[in-house]
């Protein structure tokens, strides 16, 4: 993954990019005795964390207000609460027999009332509903020959403040009637009974002639979706098990047990916001972390529990609705095992999220729910690049070192060089010591010499001094300069020519010291200048 390769090639091991420039800026001075002095830049190194961050397409890296480089992963978890306000579809047929009350061929004046329950649970109450969607339909049939007025009224469903009402006149063959009503933007103010919020369907018969037979009314409600609901929505539960977040950053580190970064801290921020006017208890639990082989590392514990509770207050009704928010921050400051898990390099995490409405039961404040029916959850996992290492980090880079090339590809002239000096100038704003070793290699990469001395006698490395952090800010303001001067004799030069020396292999090691953790800031930089001087007596022409 391109986005995090700087962790293994950049920030954490501070790479050195050596770019040969042996043919540029060469200064040659001669005197009357054909003596020659040559000065040439051999290569330079410049690296800054901020440059690398700008150059890569990285969605996970950010620099905080302190300038500290962080890696951040985010997982959105929307907890669906469609069930919180749930108006069920309804369909039923009612049969009335006025002939049981009135003689046949007589006048009839009677009302029949049916109740249609709207709440899907006994502990849910709807005080008022403004419908976004919904369709009401009715099919009425009276016996053939019935004559008189028929009215169907739904007193709890209002259009511009007036209850819905439909009137028909039955006469002879005119005995079947149908109602179709779009309930969008209609207001519903349910009636209440024990465990029930309902609307009434009142069928009024005012007949001048009642004939034998039954009156049938088929009634239905479909696609009932309120745009705004008020009432009390009960103590319900909504669960999202096995949510998953992949931590690619640890894949990119590619460190083994002997070359491992130890993180100082590891954050998990849980956030939930809501535009629902209901208090919730949100529980994130069983945060299971897995390694690269999909083996369980551990279950996160915070204060001796695998559950994290977030209390979410109800949103505040208004225009617009004022959303409520809650959060929970987990880090090494919370007693638990988060840092131990982080330092096991997890590759993914599974977790369960459950929310409970009205955890304390009904209060004086009315519940409400508008267009939004989800709790918007977010899990942020943040790894500040503030670390220490259990062992050194090693990097090697090459620079051209061909005497023939430097002197115009004339080996006879090159062998007249009596001595050479290679200068290494390091400028470090990295607050760790850096050890450096320099090996001369041929075109195939074989070692043929050691510029920094006798490896067997422990003289093969030089120490580049660490940058010194400011006591107040903790940042390195000015780079520390370290200079190495390496003398190369004529015999060594001839040996290098015989062995086709082509490159200097610069080996660098970066390490922290003991218990000290190092913060990685975006302005940390590392620079080195490598230059070459040579002198000798050139043959006369």
């Amino acid at each position: 993954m391109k986005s995090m390769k700087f962790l293994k090639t950049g920030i954490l091991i501070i790479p050195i990019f050596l770019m040969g420039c042996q043919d540029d800026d060469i200064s040659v001075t001669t005197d009357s005795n054909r003596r020659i002095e040559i000065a040439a830049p051999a290569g330079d190194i410049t690296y800054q964390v901020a440059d690398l961050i700008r150059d890569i397409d990285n969605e996970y890296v950010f620099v905080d207000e302190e300038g500290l480089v962080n890696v951040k992963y985010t997982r959105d978890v929307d907890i669906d609460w469609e069930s919180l306000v749930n108006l069920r579809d309804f369909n039923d047929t009612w049969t009335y027999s006025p002939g049981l009350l009135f003689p046949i061929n007589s006048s009839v004046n009677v009302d029949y009332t049916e109740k249609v329950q709207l709440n899907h649970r006994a502990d849910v109450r709807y005080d008022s509903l403004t419908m976004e969607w919904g369709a009401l339909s009715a099919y009425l049939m009276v016996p053939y020959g019935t004559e008189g007025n028929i009215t169907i009224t739904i007193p709890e469903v209002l259009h511009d403040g007036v209850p819905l009402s439909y009137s028909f006149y039955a006469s002879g063959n005119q005995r079947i009637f149908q109602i179709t009503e779009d309930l969008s933007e209609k207001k519903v103010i349910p009636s209440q009974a024990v465990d029930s919020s309902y609307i009434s369907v009142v069928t009024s018969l005012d007949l001048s002639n009642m004939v034998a037979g039954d009156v049938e009314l088929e009634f239905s409600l479909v696609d009932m979706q309120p745009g705004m609901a008020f009432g009390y929505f009960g103590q319900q539960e909504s669960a999202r098990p096995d949510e998953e977040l992949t931590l690619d950053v640890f894949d990119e580190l590619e460190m083994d047990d002997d070359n491992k970064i130890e993180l100082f801290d590891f954050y998990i921020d849980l956030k939930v916001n809501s535009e629902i006017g209901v208090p919730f208890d949100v529980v994130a639990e069983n945060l299971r972390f897995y390694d690269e082989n999909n083996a369980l590392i551990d279950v996160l514990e915070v204060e001796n529990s695998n559950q994290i509770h977030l209390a979410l207050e109800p949103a505040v009704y208004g225009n617009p609705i004022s959303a409520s928010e809650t959060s929970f921050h987990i880090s090494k400051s919370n007693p638990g095992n988060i840092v131990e898990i982080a330092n096991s390099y997890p590759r993914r995490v599974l977790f369960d999220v459950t929310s409970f409405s009205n955890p304390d039961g009904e209060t004086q404040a009315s519940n409400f729910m508008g267009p939004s029916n989800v709790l918007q959850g977010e899990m942020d996992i943040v790894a500040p690049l503030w670390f220490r290492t259990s062992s050194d980090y090693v990097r090697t880079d090459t620079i051209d070192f061909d005497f023939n090339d430097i002197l115009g590809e004339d080996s006879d002239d090159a062998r007249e060089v009596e001595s050479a000096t290679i200068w290494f100038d390091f400028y470090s704003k990295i607050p760790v010591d850096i050890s450096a070793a320099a090996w001369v290699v041929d075109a195939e990469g074989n070692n043929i010499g050691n510029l920094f001395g006798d490896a067997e006698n422990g003289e093969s490395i030089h120490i580049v001094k660490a940058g010194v952090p400011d006591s107040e800010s903790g940042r390195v303001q000015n780079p520390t300069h370290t200079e190495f001067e390496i003398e190369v004799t004529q015999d060594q030069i001839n040996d290098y020519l015989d062995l086709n020396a082509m490159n200097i292999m610069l080996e660098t090691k970066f390490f922290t010291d003991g218990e000290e953790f190092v913060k990685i800031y975006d302005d940390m930089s590392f620079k080195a200048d490598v230059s070459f001087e040579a002198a000798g007596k050139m043959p006369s022409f």
Side-chain angles (χ1 to χ4, degrees), residues 21 28 126 133 148 153 245 253 319 336 481 540:
C21 51
V28 180
Y126 300 133
W133 305 103
T153 304
L245 177 61
L253 285 174
N319 188 17
H481 178 211
S540 300

Side-chain angles (χ1 to χ4, degrees), residues 121-269:
R121 291 168 51 108
D123 65 341
V124 172
R125 186 188 74 252
Y126 300 133
D127 295 333
S128 69
L129 306 162
T130 300
M131 301 303 297
E132 181 176 8
W133 305 103
L136 178 154
S137 63
Y139 180 85
L140 175 70
M141 184 173 64
V142 300
Y144 178 80
T146 299
E147 191 170 342
N149 294 305
I150 304 171
T151 303
I152 297 176
T153 304
I154 301 107
E156 292 87 2
V157 181
L158 310 176
H159 177 59
D160 292 336
V162 179
L164 296 183
S165 183
Y166 311 90
S167 297
F168 312 100
Y169 185 78
S171 175
N173 293 330
Q174 188 65 33
R175 67 190 192 93
I176 298 174
F177 309 96
Q178 191 163 357
I179 301 170
T180 301
E181 184 72 57
D182 181 1
L183 297 180
S184 300
E185 300 185 4
K186 302 295 192 296
K187 187 72 173 286
V188 181
I189 302 179
S191 297
Q192 307 296 336
V194 176
D195 300 335
S196 176
S197 296
Y198 65 91
I199 63 172
S200 307
V201 181
V202 181
T203 303
S204 301
L205 303 178
D206 185 9
L207 306 177
S208 58
N209 182 44
M210 176 67 206
V211 300
D214 294 331
V215 175
E216 289 188 358
L217 175 62
E218 182 180 348
F219 184 87
S220 67
L221 297 171
V222 296
D223 298 332
M224 298 288 284
Q225 179 62 52
M228 182 63 69
F230 290 88
Y232 172 65
F233 304 151
Q235 293 183 304
Q236 303 187 51
E237 176 182 328
S238 181
R240 291 290 298 269
D242 294 333
E243 291 290 325
E244 181 175 0
L245 177 61
T246 301
L247 305 176
D248 297 332
V249 59
F250 293 109
D251 280 326
E252 293 301 320
L253 285 174
E254 296 181 359
M255 298 297 177
D256 56 33
D257 290 337
D258 296 327
N259 201 24
K260 189 167 183 175
I261 297 164
E262 183 179 353
L263 297 174
F264 176 73
D265 208 345
F266 194 65
Y267 308 149
I268 297 180
D269 287 318

Side-chain angles (χ1 to χ4, degrees), residues 52-114:
L52 187 58
I53 293 173
R54 283 190 289 267
D55 289 342
I56 61 178
D57 178 16
N58 197 312
E59 60 181 305
Y60 302 118
V61 179
F62 75 97
V63 178
D64 64 20
E65 64 279 359
E66 188 184 355
L68 182 64
V69 178
N70 295 260
V71 178
K72 179 179 179 180
Y73 284 82
T74 297
R75 178 71 166 92
D76 294 328
V77 183
D78 289 343
I79 306 172
D80 191 347
W81 270 105
E82 272 188 351
S83 63
L84 192 65
V85 175
N86 184 6
L87 304 183
R88 299 173 298 177
D89 286 354
F90 177 87
N91 184 271
D92 202 357
T93 299
W94 302 302
T95 302
Y96 311 119
S97 302
L100 297 177
L101 301 175
F102 301 92
I104 301 301
N105 301 123
S106 65
S107 62
V108 172
N109 194 315
V110 66
D111 294 338
Y112 296 96
T113 301
E114 303 292 343

